[in-house]
Amino acid sequence: MKLTRALPLATLTAAVAAASQAQAQTEITVATVNNNDMVIMQSLTEEFEAAHPDIELDWVVLEENVLRQRMTTDIATQGGQFDVMTIGTYEVPIWAERGWLTPLDDLPEAYDVDDLLQTVRDGLSHGGTLHALPFYGESSMMFYRTDLFDEAGIEMPDQPSWEQVYDWAGQLHDPDNEVAGICLRGKPGWGENMAFVSTLVNTFGGRWFDMDWNPEIDSPAWQEAISFYVDLLGNYGPPGASSNGFNENQALFSSGKCAMWVDATSAAGRIYNPNESEVADRLGFAPAPVAETPKGSHWLWSWALAIPASSEKQEAAKTFIQWATSREYIELVGETEGWTSVPPGTRESTYANENYQQAAPFADFVLEAMRGADPTDSTLEPNPYVGVQNVGIPEFQSIGTQVGQTIASALTGDVTVEQALQSAQRATERTMQRAGYLD
Amino acid sequence: MTKTRAAGRTVGGLRTLSLQAPAVTLLLLWMIVPLAMTVWFSLQRYNLLMPEMTGFAGLENYRYLFTDPALWTAMGNTLLLVGAVLVITVVGGTLLAVLFQQEFPGRGVARVLAISPFFVMPTVSALVWKNMMMHPSNGVLSWVAESFGLPAVDWFSSLPLTSIIIIVAWQWLPFALLILLTAIQSLDEDQVEAARMDGAGPVAIFFFITLPHLKRAISVVIMIEMIFLLTIFAEIFVTTSGGPGLATTNLAYLIYIQALLDFDVGMASAGGVIAIILANIVAIFLVRMVAKNLES
């Protein structure tokens, strides 16, 4: 065939191919957590598919720990099973450094990157480039029952201290009426009890590692913080506290079984929602309590959507994550599900929105808490790591899980706090040696 | 026992060995490839989260594993769990088998009900026990305790391993009952009758006739249960996640922690090799014991 005739034919074939490709549907697999906000995202699938007829969504919704295992094994072995992954501020910088995530440096003007909260954006960046888009963000705060506080004649100061919390818990603890003085996380796991315990240790003046990466888990500050935690939760906590995580505590608190609860700000939307909470009209909130230092007393976390570098459907995946983290999505949820259900903690514009301001009395408070948490400076003495409630190194998953287990066994009284911290210290030293941080 | 030499016989001019060869080869591959890979990985520096740390590690994984206090706790828990469940199921199963052998109205239904726990999936039964039986505020057991004026027990925090043993024993007791009941049905009635005529009481009949008759069945129950109990995982995963501390971590759960929470493939493989060795030691002794019992 002569070239002159072949050329138009080739162009034609290319054009036909392009046209049929535009017609063909791209199916992307989205892996996400079974938290309420993500379940809402899944329920809005039709809205997305109607707006983007060429993309079809396939969901994999799992419990946090299981999801993390599946995603980590998939991305580390370059499996390419998922096109969109739901990961947190802990994973993003580590995975980005390994080149496992697609950098998001070409976001369109309309997405309005500058609207994202600065602390959240920093947490999801590596080398100054975003590697994931925030779906919702949270810090931690204290919730309490105003009716019980009024009855006991307690007034909540602007900034409660842990010492005061201990006193109040003692006054309000009423096991005969099934009301615990305080509910806190006790279920082991680096993302469960250790998220809370780390902030407690921070505010008691402790840290995970010194500047040479020597673990400091048996330091006096840790002893003091963990003894305090074990006493407080052991004396005035709900029964079975060592198996309560975020979800269990939320269920207890919203059914009126806790007088106080210190946990994620993202719970506020749900416990203020009268359809989901029996105590929605008797709620007060305050900043997370402090002890020695306000530094690191409240955490910073965000769940974000990222695209693994191994995905073959980059464009479609990008379209989806931009939609799910956009301003329009937040408005869509506000209108269809009610304004307390919108994903919080990601965009300044959410907090400027009048509808949200009206529905969520805690809005400004949460915004302040999120702005105030600094992962790069979270402890009284300097530390070599990034993170408030976690340490931004790959080994932390293992360390956090181990230490979490040990602290849970101190909570149930199997071992003394001192023994628990010593064995946690030894286990952490071993892990750090094995990973080559220590000789 | 007469010995036959399979390789020596011929069928239609073909040696039987050559006919067996494909099946045997497939079985060997089936077994040896995963085993060899496990051994190979256990000698590697291989952590999914640290792709830059690779290469031959020698026995480093084993060194870390053997100096890990968690390994010995896990071994102890594994043996304790297997031992306790075996005792409960064999003793309980024998007694129940004798009981269910008696004639009483509704025996068929009662037998089916007694056996049914075995058909509940491990994860489901663990969930039922966790949320409906042993829960400190919603559980049936706490309700029972409170109606007697006793404080509710927080089973999974104060008696973690005991709770797991109860759940697993509840699942496996029906299995023992099933096997032993079948065995007891083959007991010669005339023999029992004769013993009774000679003035033997029910206790004597149980110890001198029923129990010796059940000896083989009991050793089969012990062997089969032990193989499955060494790998108990779902019940622990659902209820206590190996905790609090290491109180309910068995060998299977320890390997799971290393492989899927720490993503340390090398360490987990080393743990797997240890588990294989342990299972083989147990199996060799058991197979000998059972074989001896069956021969006599």
Side-chain angles (χ1 to χ4, degrees):
Chain A
M1 202 189 286
K2 275 187 187 166
L3 197 64
T4 43
R5 271 165 67 193
L7 207 58
L9 192 66
T11 343
L12 187 70
T13 335
V16 170
S20 67
Q21 211 157 42
Q23 290 277 307
Q25 287 211 327
T26 323
E27 194 187 71
I28 56 171
T29 309
V30 183
T32 195
V33 194
N34 62 354
N35 292 357
N36 281 31
D37 293 278
M38 285 75 165
V39 172
I40 293 176
M41 167 163 75
Q42 191 191 6
S43 72
L44 292 170
T45 302
E46 276 175 26
E47 297 272 350
F48 175 79
E49 287 178 347
H52 304 88
D54 51 335
I55 302 175
E56 209 179 315
L57 301 179
D58 180 22
W59 293 91
V60 177
V61 184
L62 293 166
E63 192 249 335
E64 185 176 330
N65 288 337
V66 183
L67 179 82
R68 203 168 262 135
Q69 286 156 22
R70 296 247 335 241
M71 290 192 310
T72 312
T73 30
D74 182 66
I75 203 159
T77 55
Q78 309 290 314
Q81 212 181 344
F82 306 111
D83 300 300
V84 173
M85 289 183 171
T86 308
I87 55 182
T89 27
Y90 168 71
E91 285 99 350
V92 174
I94 297 173
W95 290 11
E97 196 188 338
R98 310 237 176 291
W100 290 347
L101 301 176
T102 307
L104 303 164
D105 44 9
D106 53 348
L107 295 164
E109 189 92 342
Y111 183 74
D112 198 359
V113 178
D114 295 329
D115 187 34
L116 299 177
L117 294 183
Q118 191 63 44
T119 44
V120 173
R121 222 163 82 193
D122 290 346
L124 301 177
S125 298
H126 174 72
T129 309
L130 269 177
H131 279 74
L133 300 179
F135 181 67
Y136 77 77
E138 64 179 34
S139 181
S140 56
M141 65 197 273
M142 179 168 161
F143 304 103
Y144 64 96
R145 289 266 303 278
T146 47
D147 55 337
L148 297 178
F149 267 62
D150 288 345
E151 243 171 69
I154 306 167
E155 204 164 316
M156 177 62 82
D158 287 341
Q159 172 63 67
S161 75
W162 276 111
E163 211 174 316
Q164 290 171 316
V165 170
Y166 195 92
D167 283 346
W168 300 333
Q171 291 179 41
L172 300 170
H173 191 59
D174 186 6
D176 294 338
N177 290 317
E178 293 198 337
V179 177
I182 188 160
C183 294
L184 295 171
R185 297 184 184 192
K187 190 187 198 170
W190 68 266
E192 281 283 7
N193 64 349
M194 289 321 287
F196 169 77
V197 168
S198 297
T199 61
L200 191 70
V201 168
N202 288 342
T203 188
F204 271 84
R207 57 184 172 174
W208 277 95
F209 297 101
D210 71 6
M211 290 306 280
D212 299 319
W213 291 105
N214 292 303
E216 287 204 327
I217 300 170
D218 55 358
S219 70
W222 272 81
Q223 302 270 9
E224 208 185 324
I226 305 303
S227 306
F228 178 82
Y229 167 76
V230 169
D231 279 350
L232 176 62
L233 201 51
N235 293 339
Y236 308 125
S242 67
S243 52
N244 291 347
F246 171 74
N247 286 323
E248 289 84 358
N249 281 325
Q250 183 182 300
L252 285 173
F253 189 81
S254 56
S255 57
K257 291 186 175 168
C258 313
M260 292 181 277
W261 180 33
V262 181
D263 213 306
T265 54
S266 60
R270 255 154 279 135
I271 59 173
Y272 267 92
N273 184 342
N275 298 330
E276 293 180 47
S277 157
E278 291 170 25
V279 293
D281 54 342
R282 294 168 272 168
L283 281 181
F285 51 81
V290 298
E292 296 288 313
T293 168
K295 269 189 183 181
S297 62
H298 53 293
W299 69 64
L300 183 73
W301 178 256
S302 81
W303 278 114
L305 301 175
I307 306 168
S310 54
S311 162
E312 285 168 7
K313 295 155 187 165
Q314 299 276 343
E315 280 312 309
K318 245 176 228 175
T319 313
F320 172 73
I321 66 170
Q322 282 173 32
W323 172 80
T325 58
S326 68
R327 214 183 274 188
E328 292 76 30
Y329 173 83
I330 291 172
E331 264 160 42
L332 179 68
V333 176
E335 275 152 28
T336 52
E337 306 283 327
W339 280 92
T340 46
S341 300
V342 304
T346 57
R347 285 177 171 275
E348 300 271 0
S349 58
T350 311
Y351 293 91
N353 187 310
E354 268 179 33
N355 292 324
Y356 188 61
Q357 288 272 6
Q358 262 174 13
F362 47 83
D364 290 331
F365 185 85
V366 171
L367 184 62
E368 274 314 303
M370 301 230 21
R371 280 184 181 147
D374 185 357
T376 57
D377 181 22
S378 57
T379 53
L380 189 61
E381 289 169 82
N383 69 49
Y385 52 86
V386 177
V388 181
Q389 79 287 13
N390 56 38
V391 178
I393 54 172
E395 293 76 17
F396 183 73
Q397 284 199 51
S398 155
I399 294 173
T401 307
Q402 271 179 358
V403 178
Q405 283 280 21
T406 325
I407 294 205
S409 71
L411 183 60
T412 58
D414 275 359
V415 292
T416 64
V417 171
E418 201 170 318
Q419 285 168 337
L421 293 182
Q422 268 168 13
S423 83
Q425 169 79 6
R426 274 199 305 275
T428 310
E429 273 168 6
R430 274 169 52 88
T431 311
M432 292 304 274
Q433 266 165 16
R434 191 169 153 73
Y437 287 85
L438 305 174
D439 307 324
Chain B
M1 225 169 91
T2 55
K3 287 192 175 167
T4 52
R5 286 189 56 212
R9 279 187 293 163
T10 52
V11 176
L14 269 172
R15 277 174 174 266
T16 43
L17 187 63
S18 57
L19 290 173
Q20 290 168 352
V24 171
T25 318
L26 203 66
L27 275 175
L28 275 180
L29 283 177
W30 192 263
M31 193 192 81
I32 282 177
V33 169
L35 184 65
M37 278 176 77
T38 309
V39 173
W40 172 246
F41 283 142
S42 74
L43 300 173
Q44 297 288 309
R45 214 169 270 124
Y46 186 8
N47 188 317
L48 287 179
L49 294 174
M50 283 165 262
E52 70 277 6
M53 273 176 72
T54 52
F56 191 70
L59 294 175
E60 196 192 291
N61 288 323
Y62 290 95
R63 188 168 66 82
Y64 269 101
L65 192 66
F66 279 110
T67 53
D68 189 350
L71 179 74
W72 306 109
T73 317
M75 287 258 205
N77 286 339
T78 309
L79 296 179
L80 211 60
L81 179 64
V82 173
V85 174
L86 275 180
V87 170
I88 296 174
T89 53
V90 170
V91 173
T94 315
L95 295 179
L96 282 178
V98 173
L99 185 69
F100 280 102
Q101 175 64 7
Q102 313 300 317
E103 294 276 357
F104 59 89
R107 187 172 73 162
V109 178
R111 279 183 180 175
V112 171
L113 283 178
I115 288 164
S116 55
F118 190 57
F119 303 104
V120 180
M121 281 178 280
T123 37
V124 176
S125 76
L127 275 176
V128 168
W129 276 91
K130 182 188 183 188
N131 295 322
M132 297 165 79
M133 303 292 290
M134 290 172 164
H135 195 278
S137 46
N138 312 329
V140 173
L141 293 180
S142 78
W143 177 79
V144 171
E146 269 162 18
S147 48
F148 283 105
L150 298 167
V153 180
D154 186 2
W155 286 87
F156 292 110
S157 0
S158 41
L159 297 166
L161 195 59
T162 315
S163 313
I164 302 281
I165 289 172
I166 293 174
I167 298 176
V168 177
W170 177 80
Q171 278 184 305
W172 285 90
L173 187 59
F175 173 77
L177 171 61
L178 191 67
I179 304 281
L180 296 174
L181 191 59
T182 328
I184 219 171
Q185 279 169 354
S186 69
L187 182 60
D188 194 356
E189 276 299 318
D190 297 342
Q191 211 182 345
V192 178
E193 199 57 38
R196 199 170 290 146
M197 299 277 277
D198 288 342
V203 177
I205 291 178
F206 174 75
F207 278 107
F208 292 107
I209 297 179
T210 317
L211 212 53
H213 176 75
L214 287 179
K215 218 167 108 190
R216 285 183 187 189
I218 288 176
S219 47
V220 169
V221 168
I222 292 179
M223 184 166 80
I224 294 181
E225 279 195 11
M226 185 160 299
I227 292 167
F228 284 95
L229 293 178
L230 277 173
T231 58
I232 286 290
F233 174 78
E235 292 82 353
I236 297 173
F237 178 73
V238 172
T239 54
T240 59
S241 310
L246 291 165
T248 53
T249 302
N250 67 354
L251 211 49
Y253 200 81
L254 188 72
I255 295 171
Y256 161 79
I257 291 176
Q258 270 148 6
L260 282 166
L261 295 180
D262 300 356
F263 299 102
D264 193 335
V265 181
M267 254 316 234
S269 304
V273 172
I274 305 287
I276 293 170
I277 294 171
L278 184 74
N280 271 298
I281 293 173
V282 169
I284 288 167
F285 282 115
L286 274 175
V287 169
R288 288 247 168 104
M289 194 180 90
V290 173
K292 226 170 147 190
N293 252 327
L294 292 181
E295 262 175 38
S296 59

